[in-house]
């Protein structure tokens, strides 16, 4: 049973990664903290993504769990120093459920076995939730509600970021061509054509962003300016961008959380559950696209079906819509 709200509740949330998934959990975590103002909230996350929580007013403590066995043991030892009133696993994998199971907590909340990414994860929860919402942000809010949250916040408290590399001094369109699965990517030659059209029609450059190790891949987009950065640099570049273009990957969800206007190009994954949240970004998806979450190599045919002309048209529409909504 949860403590009286006059006492200091101790809440543990588990969402190890990745970028987009961490961002999709931010409103649910904020809702938990907001519902219990006197609570102490701890988040277990991979070190790679811990920067996304920097300065978050709804997170009191971060436990960075390395992928190594030694790192995992150290993190578990740290979390077991406390006793928690409730732990929420927003990931639904065996590894995240095991973290939740090893925590000393009165209540352990996670997805029902039919919805968990790995069915066995549900064995570690005292409360398995069958969510009804399509989008992951809303499903996470349902998990938070099952953990006791009563005041729902749809906010994305993200850090300011810091400049990395060189960006244009004036307005620019930011594209993040890479995704965790090659099948979710849009062809490099399409970005080349789009870069020319953006410069001609919108009179601004196209900047393509990726991590430092992606320089060779991004060089396949002549006509675009390459911007290499880590997470902090990506956040800064996204905040400075006039508009964005992306695929189903972390940078797109970051842009959506920052309410940037833009275009999302979708193919094998379903935007109803994994699309940009908030309405500032327009989604393009081929009508005959087949939903699949298999990590296939090679660009999916449904991604090739979306033309640069369609992306430019949608981008111009998103920019116009954003301008109309802007305060006078």
């Amino acid at each position: 049973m949860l403590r009286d709200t006059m006492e200091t509740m101790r809440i543990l949330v588990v969402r190890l990664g990745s970028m987009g998934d961490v961002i999709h959990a931010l409103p649910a975590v904020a809702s938990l903290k907001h519902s219990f103002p006197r609570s102490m909230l701890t988040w277990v996350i991979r070190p790679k993504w811990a920067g996304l929580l920097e300065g978050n007013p709804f997170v009191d403590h971060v436990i960075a769990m390395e992928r190594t066995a030694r790192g995992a043991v150290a993190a578990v030892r740290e979390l077991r120093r406390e006793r928690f009133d409730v732990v929420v696993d927003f990931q639904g994998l065996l590894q995240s459920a095991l973290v939740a199971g090893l925590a000393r907590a009165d209540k352990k909340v996670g997805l029902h076995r039919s919805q968990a990414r790995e069915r066995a994860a549900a064995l570690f929860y005292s409360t398995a939730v069958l969510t009804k919402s399509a989008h992951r942000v809303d499903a996470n809010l349902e998990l938070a509600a099952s953990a006791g949250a009563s005041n729902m916040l749809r906010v994305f408290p993200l850090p300011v970021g810091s400049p990395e590399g060189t960006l244009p001094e004036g307005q620019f369109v930011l594209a993040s061509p890479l995704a965790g699965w090659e099948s979710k990517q849009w062809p490099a030659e399409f970005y080349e054509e789009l870069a020319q059209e953006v410069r001609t029609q919108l009179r601004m450059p196209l900047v393509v962003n990726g991590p430092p190790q992606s320089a060779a891949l991004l060089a396949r987009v002549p006509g675009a300016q390459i911007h290499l950065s880590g997470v902090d640099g990506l956040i800064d570049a996204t905040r400075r961008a006039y508009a964005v273009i992306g695929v189903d990957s972390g940078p797109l969800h970051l842009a959506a959380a920052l309410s940037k206007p833009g275009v999302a190009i979708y193919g094998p994954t379903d935007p109803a559950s994994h699309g940009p949240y908030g309405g500032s970004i327009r989604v393009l998806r081929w009508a005959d696209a087949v939903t699949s979450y298999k990590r296939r190599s090679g660009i999916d045919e449904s991604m090739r079906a979306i033309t640069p002309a369609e992306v430019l048209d949608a981008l111009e529409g998103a920019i116009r819509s954003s301008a109309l909504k802007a305060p006078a």
Side-chain angles (χ1 to χ4, degrees):
M1 186 172 182
L2 300 183
R3 300 185 193 184
D4 188 279
T5 53
M6 294 302 291
E7 298 183 43
T8 301
M9 271 194 60
R10 296 196 175 274
I11 303 169
L12 177 70
V13 299
V14 184
R15 180 75 242 193
L16 302 175
S18 56
M19 182 191 294
D21 294 322
V22 169
I23 290 170
H24 285 164
L26 290 175
V29 173
S31 298
L32 278 167
K33 178 69 175 181
H34 183 66
S35 298
F36 302 100
R38 294 170 59 90
S39 64
M40 292 294 294
L41 190 146
T42 298
W43 189 321
V44 184
I45 192 171
R46 295 291 186 207
K48 181 178 180 179
W49 308 118
L52 291 168
L53 306 182
E54 184 179 345
N56 190 318
F58 302 103
V59 178
D60 299 295
H61 181 55
V62 174
I63 297 178
M65 176 175 280
E66 298 278 1
R67 287 185 177 274
T68 63
R70 179 179 294 181
V73 169
V76 168
R77 283 177 178 168
E78 182 177 355
L79 72 88
R80 284 184 62 82
R81 293 190 191 116
E82 299 280 354
R83 181 162 191 90
F84 298 95
D85 296 283
V86 61
V87 54
V88 188
D89 176 17
F90 288 107
Q91 194 149 0
L93 289 175
L94 271 173
Q95 59 180 335
S96 60
L98 183 59
V99 174
L102 290 172
R104 299 192 303 148
D106 298 330
K107 183 175 182 179
K108 300 177 181 182
V109 180
L111 288 168
H112 187 270
R113 66 179 182 277
S114 64
Q115 294 179 325
R117 290 175 61 187
E118 295 179 339
R119 294 172 64 90
L123 296 173
F124 293 87
Y125 312 138
S126 62
T127 302
V129 183
L130 189 63
T131 61
K132 299 178 180 178
S133 300
H135 201 281
R136 290 311 313 160
V137 170
D138 297 317
N140 286 335
L141 287 167
E142 290 187 51
L143 284 176
S146 294
S150 56
N151 298 310
M152 297 303 167
L153 300 181
R154 285 174 170 79
V155 296
F156 296 88
L158 288 160
V160 175
S162 58
E164 293 181 41
T166 303
L167 289 169
E169 293 186 3
Q171 296 175 339
F172 63 91
V173 175
L174 180 69
S176 297
L178 306 179
W181 319 340
E182 188 180 358
S183 58
K184 296 193 296 183
Q185 295 178 178
W186 200 47
E189 60 269 23
F190 286 9
Y191 284 103
E192 179 182 357
E193 182 178 339
L194 184 64
Q196 296 172 355
E197 292 299 320
V198 166
R199 186 173 293 277
T200 301
Q201 302 297 327
L202 300 182
R203 299 188 182 281
M204 62 182 75
L206 179 70
V207 176
V208 289
N209 171 271
Q213 63 270 26
S214 67
L217 288 173
L218 297 182
R220 294 162 55 191
V221 187
Q225 179 175 330
I226 297 175
H227 180 251
L228 304 175
S229 75
V231 173
D232 285 347
L234 172 63
I235 295 172
D236 174 72
T238 305
R239 289 187 182 277
R240 292 168 59 181
Y242 187 73
V244 299
I245 296 166
V247 295
D248 184 8
S249 64
L252 174 73
H253 300 301
L254 170 66
L258 295 175
S259 300
K260 285 290 176 176
V263 178
I265 307 167
Y266 270 66
T269 55
D270 186 359
S273 57
H274 293 79
Y277 193 82
S280 69
I281 296 177
R282 299 192 175 191
V283 177
L284 292 178
R285 194 186 192 210
W286 186 40
D288 293 331
V290 177
T291 299
S292 171
Y293 293 95
K294 294 181 179 179
R295 295 173 177 257
R296 294 191 174 100
S297 60
I299 296 173
D300 193 86
E301 65 170 342
S302 60
M303 297 297 288
R304 295 185 181 277
I306 305 298
T307 67
E310 290 176 298
V311 173
L312 180 64
D313 183 62
L315 181 63
E316 290 176 324
I319 291 172
R320 285 194 301 269
S321 178
S322 176
L324 290 173
K325 294 176 182 177

